[in-house]
Amino acid sequence: GDPEPVQDFCVAAPRGDGEAFPGLPCKPASTVVSDDFFFAAHARGASTDNPTGSGVTPGNVEAFPGLNTLGLSLNRVDLAPGGVNPLHSHPRSAELVHVEDGEMLVGFVSTEGKFYSKVVRAGESFVIPRGMMHFQYNVGAGAARAMTVFNSQLPGVVLAAQSLFGAEPEIPDAVLAKSFQVDAEIIKLLKSKFRKG
Ligand code: GLV
Ligand code: MN
């Protein structure tokens, strides 16, 4: 997780020009108000009207400045029927998936290559260890919703397909083709889905 706090709070202020250090500066304590500790964006879900049928509403320190130095954050995940929050990992945090509505298959792969997964229903939780590749897949008939809780204010996200096939500038086809043991044509197809240009 993140470093321990050294004061009650440090509500994030925008970084000044040329300021470079880990984390975010604090706004003056005299200007901190109750609303700095309040976050309402999770009252609504993100649209799931997209190719994966999923929408994540982030609640990290960038969205919720009151979290700065507190070592935790949370997202809301909405899934349409059949929707999947696509394979990704968080370099700086474990993730607790608490399902609030519907049923989803939640799974991760360990460094030993072992796949751990469960169908998780409303009121139930599943935990994903830090850095492991994981997903949530709606296996129910209706919409599904989860809150995901992190022991970092900014867990970071590496989207598997996006980071490999959508990198800018692109990773050479030969590297990807050899890595995945497929023809370059398949790599070109994947790049056409994940590269913007
Ligand atoms: C779900 O996996 C999330 O990162 O919010
Ligand atoms: Mn995640």
Side-chain angles (χ1 to χ4, degrees):
D2 295 357
E4 290 296 316
V6 293
Q7 55 209 21
D8 286 357
F9 53 78
C10 167
V11 175
R15 204 189 285 276
D17 226 22
E19 270 180 354
F21 46 79
L24 292 163
C26 316
K27 76 182 214 180
S30 61
T31 69
V32 170
V33 294
S34 297
D35 268 329
D36 286 319
F37 303 105
F38 177 75
F39 184 65
H42 288 155
R44 260 171 282 290
S47 171
T48 58
D49 188 10
N50 53 55
T52 58
S54 71
V56 177
T57 309
N60 59 40
V61 69
E62 287 170 349
F64 185 1
L67 293 180
N68 195 33
T69 74
L70 301 185
L72 80 175
S73 59
L74 82 176
N75 292 345
R76 170 175 165 156
V77 179
D78 287 88
L79 300 175
V84 65
N85 182 19
L87 284 158
H88 66 275
S89 64
H90 305 287
R92 293 184 290 275
S93 184
E95 170 180 326
L96 188 136
V97 182
H98 182 76
V99 176
E100 291 194 320
D101 190 30
E103 43 193 300
M104 45 183 91
L105 179 73
V106 184
F108 71 89
V109 181
S110 75
T111 58
E112 319 265 277
K114 187 159 178 194
F115 176 50
Y116 297 89
S117 70
K118 281 286 284 188
V119 173
V120 188
R121 301 189 169 82
E124 301 174 343
S125 299
F126 192 77
V127 70
I128 293 152
R130 175 169 163 172
M132 307 283 106
M133 195 68 76
H134 63 279
F135 65 87
Q136 295 99 19
Y137 175 44
N138 185 354
V139 292
R145 180 175 86 250
M147 298 304 298
T148 52
V149 182
F150 302 90
N151 61 330
S152 169
Q153 66 178 23
L154 194 61
V157 57
V158 179
L159 286 163
Q162 186 63 44
S163 68
L164 294 172
F165 303 112
E168 209 52 69
E170 66 191 296
I171 300 173
D173 287 354
V175 172
L176 289 164
K178 273 269 157 66
S179 297
F180 284 87
Q181 297 285 292
V182 295
D183 291 342
E185 289 318 300
I186 295 176
I187 300 303
K188 288 196 201 306
L189 175 66
L190 286 162
K191 282 186 174 177
S192 75
K193 295 182 188 297
F194 295 100
R195 296 194 77 237
K196 283 166 205 94

